[in-house]
Amino acid sequence: MSLRIVEEEMDPEIKELIEKGFDKTKVLKVSLPKPGAVVQRNVDALLTGFKYVVKPMRLTIDYPYKAVEYPEGYRGMFRVDDNKCVGCSLCDVVCPADAIRLVLKDKKKVPVINWGRCIFCYFCVDICPVEAFETTKYHDAVFTRFEDMLTTLEEFTKRPEDYVPMRKIGKRYKVVIDEYRGLRYEPVG
Amino acid sequence: MVYIGPLEIPGRLIYDFLHIFILPGFGAILVLVILIIWAERKIAGLVQLRYGPLHVSRRIGGALQLVADLIRYSLQEFIVPENVDKIAYLMAPALALLFAVIPIAFMPTAPGIAPPIYVEPNLLLILAVISLAPIFVIVTGVASDNKFAFIGSLREAFLMISYEIPFIISILSTAFIYGTLDLYKIVEAQSKAFLGVLLNPFAALVAYIAILRITGRFPFEISEAESELVMGPYTEYSGLMYGVAMGIGYIKLYVYTLLFSIVFLGGWLPISSTGNIVFDYILGNIILLIKASILMLIAVFLRSVYPRYRIDQAVRLGWSLILILSGAAVAWSLIIRLIIWR
Ligand code: SF4
Ligand code: SF4
């Protein structure tokens, strides 16, 4: 390879050094990895791996026995208040996942949801002109059949914990930023 | 050379049964494969800062995860695709499994007790049988009528040739030092001098790296590369056959590490024959299994540290550095045999 190409690809810092009068060959040599570095890097990688095996530093949480307590405004499951709803169908139109379907109730159209499709984007909640949706922080739903994810109007007007089988969560934790570990979990309450 | 417990003693049949079905044989294989796959997942979990398998049998850290997996595999539908070569498709994994476990019958695993099938050059026989297994992996890939399986089996063929030759050379180079092809005498020779790793470190290094490749551990898990080839040669298998296919690599790992610990780590060595067959059988086998388990743990630990080599890198490594090192192992053996240890 000609030196010209090397110079074009060169680090600006090294270019500066050469311009200051450093020996070109020496500068280039220093920037290459040393032959022994291969062994060194392998050993480093193995030791780092071994360190974590001996001294675990877990960043995940033992869900569902422990779970993170979500902040206010978390986009969890929601219900519709069919008395507030005016049947404008905006939620059905805006839903990107096509999760909302309108059903007739007393000659008015009201939404029902398919939890299997909903991506919890909350477009429907935001667009509703009368704020007919009531939101919760729950998302720990367990369905055993696909059909159960299609709600009826009767179900969708209830709060999710009243008709969806929820996982029993042992303890709630909150996430704390930690300087050393990155993340830490602290029990709530 | 005197073997206690040759053909005429009354316990021979019982011992053969125990050897094949319990301690170094199928019972130990089942338990160790379950534990080693669990350990592999657990170690990968720990290194990636997460928990690893835990939900099944929480008390013992999720160790029975693979049992749950096996139950699931056996309840799943077993689909035979329409265009596969049916006989080859069904037979190949079974034969690969068979040829992977047969060598156990030739291995002496306890002091003073001959293996069920005892022939003088049993090291040669083991190498011959054990190197048949990859052929059936290739058959699997060709029979599957699937491009991923086909590419996987081609990779297996390339790598088989480039790593099995150094493996066999390096194992046989130790025979120069010990002056025998009988595993039992090899262990005896080690008890009189040093362990094989110290006598010929080059051979041990080459053999271990080749074992990593032959059994498909990282960084050589190239023929089954999940992210490129789905499951390599075993792509078309489902249900219980998938479980078997997944287990083959681990069973091979077990057999190869047994061979490695006999040739290089002195087998059952700190103990020698006491004359009490029951005691010898249990303790000898357990010591051997502990040595093999440590080697297996190191092999599965590498999964969480190394990425996967590209096929050309791995083949180049096999034909250059590894082959040269195995040549060095032969030279080293000759030097030791002819000059130092006459
Ligand atoms: S949250 Fe998003 S995906 Fe779910 S129903 Fe509303 S608009 Fe559709
Ligand atoms: S946007 Fe609100 S008011 Fe309109 S149909 Fe949906 S829930 Fe009813």
Side-chain angles (χ1 to χ4, degrees):
Chain A
M1 191 164 46
S2 72
L3 201 62
R4 198 178 49 81
I5 297 172
V6 175
E7 268 176 9
E8 272 168 10
E9 291 172 354
M10 222 157 34
D11 208 36
E13 275 181 36
I14 295 174
K15 244 182 199 166
E16 215 175 275
L17 285 176
I18 293 174
E19 275 161 19
K20 274 183 190 167
F22 274 79
D23 187 349
K24 191 180 277 179
T25 50
K26 271 180 193 162
V27 171
L28 286 176
K29 250 182 207 163
V30 169
S31 62
L32 288 170
K34 295 185 197 87
V38 179
V39 179
Q40 179 64 35
R41 269 180 273 165
N42 274 291
V43 172
D44 281 354
L46 288 172
L47 285 181
T48 311
F50 191 69
K51 191 181 86 190
Y52 287 131
V53 175
V54 184
K55 215 170 133 228
M57 197 180 92
R58 297 174 170 119
L59 288 184
T60 51
I61 196 164
D62 187 10
Y63 186 83
Y65 302 93
K66 301 166 183 173
V68 174
E69 175 77 37
Y70 297 108
E72 285 306 321
Y74 179 80
R75 299 202 297 237
M77 296 166 91
F78 47 89
R79 66 175 277 262
V80 71
D81 188 340
D82 58 339
N83 296 324
K84 276 192 193 169
C85 173
V86 292
C88 69
S89 83
L90 276 175
C91 53
D92 184 14
V93 173
V94 81
C95 177
D98 202 6
I100 286 191
R101 195 161 49 89
L102 296 172
V103 291
L104 270 181
K105 190 207 172 193
D106 304 339
K107 294 184 187 163
K108 182 174 77 175
K109 280 190 249 163
V110 267
V112 296
I113 194 165
N114 177 356
W115 288 122
R117 293 194 134 222
C118 176
I119 56 171
F120 300 97
C121 65
Y122 268 29
F123 283 2
C124 54
V125 178
D126 289 343
I127 207 166
C128 179
V130 290
E131 301 194 351
F133 292 108
E134 185 197 339
T135 63
T136 72
K137 288 194 283 184
Y138 287 98
H139 76 172
D140 309 289
V142 183
F143 295 94
T144 45
R145 297 189 309 157
F146 272 120
E147 300 86 78
D148 294 346
M149 295 187 187
L150 295 164
T151 52
T152 59
L153 183 60
E154 195 190 335
E155 283 168 344
F156 197 41
T157 49
K158 290 185 207 154
R159 282 181 68 84
E161 60 266 40
D162 293 338
Y163 69 97
V164 177
M166 293 280 176
R167 200 68 165 97
K168 278 212 183 67
I169 308 283
K171 245 185 169 179
R172 291 276 178 179
Y173 286 74
K174 70 170 188 280
V175 185
V176 185
I177 305 293
D178 185 293
E179 270 180 31
Y180 169 64
R181 293 175 44 116
L183 286 183
R184 200 153 37 85
Y185 295 96
E186 277 184 356
V188 176
Chain B
M1 172 59 40
V2 185
Y3 288 111
I4 304 169
L7 291 166
E8 61 272 17
I9 68 154
R12 185 72 240 181
L13 217 59
I14 300 173
Y15 170 72
D16 287 352
F17 179 83
L18 289 176
H19 185 104
I20 291 172
F21 289 102
I22 312 288
L23 207 36
F26 291 115
I29 288 179
L30 197 64
V31 173
L32 272 180
V33 165
I34 287 174
L35 289 182
I36 216 72
I37 293 180
W38 167 72
E40 174 162 26
R41 293 173 177 175
K42 202 80 186 169
I43 290 173
L46 291 173
V47 174
Q48 291 160 9
L49 310 186
R50 53 191 175 82
Y51 279 82
L54 187 61
H55 189 71
V56 182
S57 66
R58 284 180 73 81
R59 289 252 178 78
I60 45 175
L64 298 183
Q65 178 66 46
L66 193 79
V67 178
D69 283 355
L70 280 180
I71 293 172
R72 202 200 75 202
Y73 292 148
S74 48
L75 295 180
Q76 262 174 351
E77 189 187 357
F78 175 46
I79 302 164
V80 180
E82 208 166 75
N83 289 333
V84 300
D85 183 345
K86 293 216 170 44
I87 296 173
Y89 174 83
L90 293 174
M91 291 296 284
L95 285 175
L97 188 70
L98 190 70
F99 280 99
V101 294
I102 281 180
I104 291 181
F106 305 126
M107 280 185 197
T109 55
I113 306 174
I117 301 173
Y118 177 66
V119 280
E120 186 73 27
N122 50 19
L123 177 57
L124 220 51
L125 198 58
I126 288 171
L127 288 177
V129 173
I130 219 168
S131 51
L132 279 178
I135 293 173
F136 297 104
V137 179
I138 296 168
V139 171
T140 316
V142 177
S144 282
D145 185 37
N146 176 311
K147 59 187 175 208
F148 293 127
F150 186 61
I151 295 172
S153 66
L154 284 186
R155 290 182 174 193
E156 178 79 22
F158 275 124
L159 292 164
M160 181 187 89
I161 296 167
S162 49
Y163 281 83
E164 219 144 69
I165 290 172
F167 176 74
I168 291 174
I169 291 176
S170 66
I171 290 273
L172 288 183
S173 77
T174 58
F176 290 144
I177 303 184
Y178 306 131
T180 173
L181 283 171
D182 180 358
L183 286 176
Y184 195 95
K185 286 178 191 156
I186 285 178
V187 175
E188 291 239 310
Q190 290 178 68
S191 73
K192 288 184 196 115
F194 302 105
L195 293 186
V197 242
L198 304 174
L199 282 175
N200 196 339
F202 300 112
L205 184 68
V206 172
Y208 195 71
I209 293 176
I211 285 175
L212 289 181
R213 164 45 227 147
I214 293 165
T215 59
R217 301 295 96 210
F218 273 79
F220 301 106
E221 196 234 28
I222 297 162
S223 56
E224 286 165 17
E226 275 172 345
S227 44
E228 301 161 25
L229 297 181
V230 190
M231 185 64 192
Y234 307 115
T235 303
E236 285 289 359
Y237 289 87
S238 53
L240 196 57
M241 286 297 259
Y242 174 78
V244 170
M246 194 186 74
I248 289 177
Y250 293 92
I251 293 170
K252 267 175 132 175
L253 182 65
Y254 171 71
V255 176
Y256 274 90
T257 48
L258 271 190
L259 183 63
F260 186 94
S261 11
I262 292 174
V263 175
F264 292 106
L265 298 180
W268 53 87
L269 247 197
I271 68 156
S272 55
S273 178
T274 56
N276 181 344
I277 290 189
V278 178
F279 180 77
D280 282 353
Y281 167 71
I282 294 174
L283 206 62
N285 273 307
I286 285 178
I287 289 174
L288 185 61
L289 281 201
I290 289 171
K291 286 175 179 173
S293 311
I294 291 170
L295 291 173
M296 280 155 74
L297 276 179
I298 296 172
V300 297
F301 166 69
L302 295 180
R303 165 182 279 265
S304 48
V305 176
Y306 282 109
R308 182 182 296 124
Y309 270 127
R310 234 169 35 222
I311 171 87
D312 59 321
Q313 291 172 326
V315 171
R316 191 187 307 135
L317 186 74
W319 283 119
S320 58
L321 186 65
I322 303 294
L323 194 64
I324 292 168
L325 269 178
S326 66
V330 174
W332 181 256
S333 293
L334 289 176
I335 290 171
I336 289 208
R337 183 68 188 174
L338 296 177
I339 299 169
I340 302 170
W341 185 28
R342 296 193 68 102

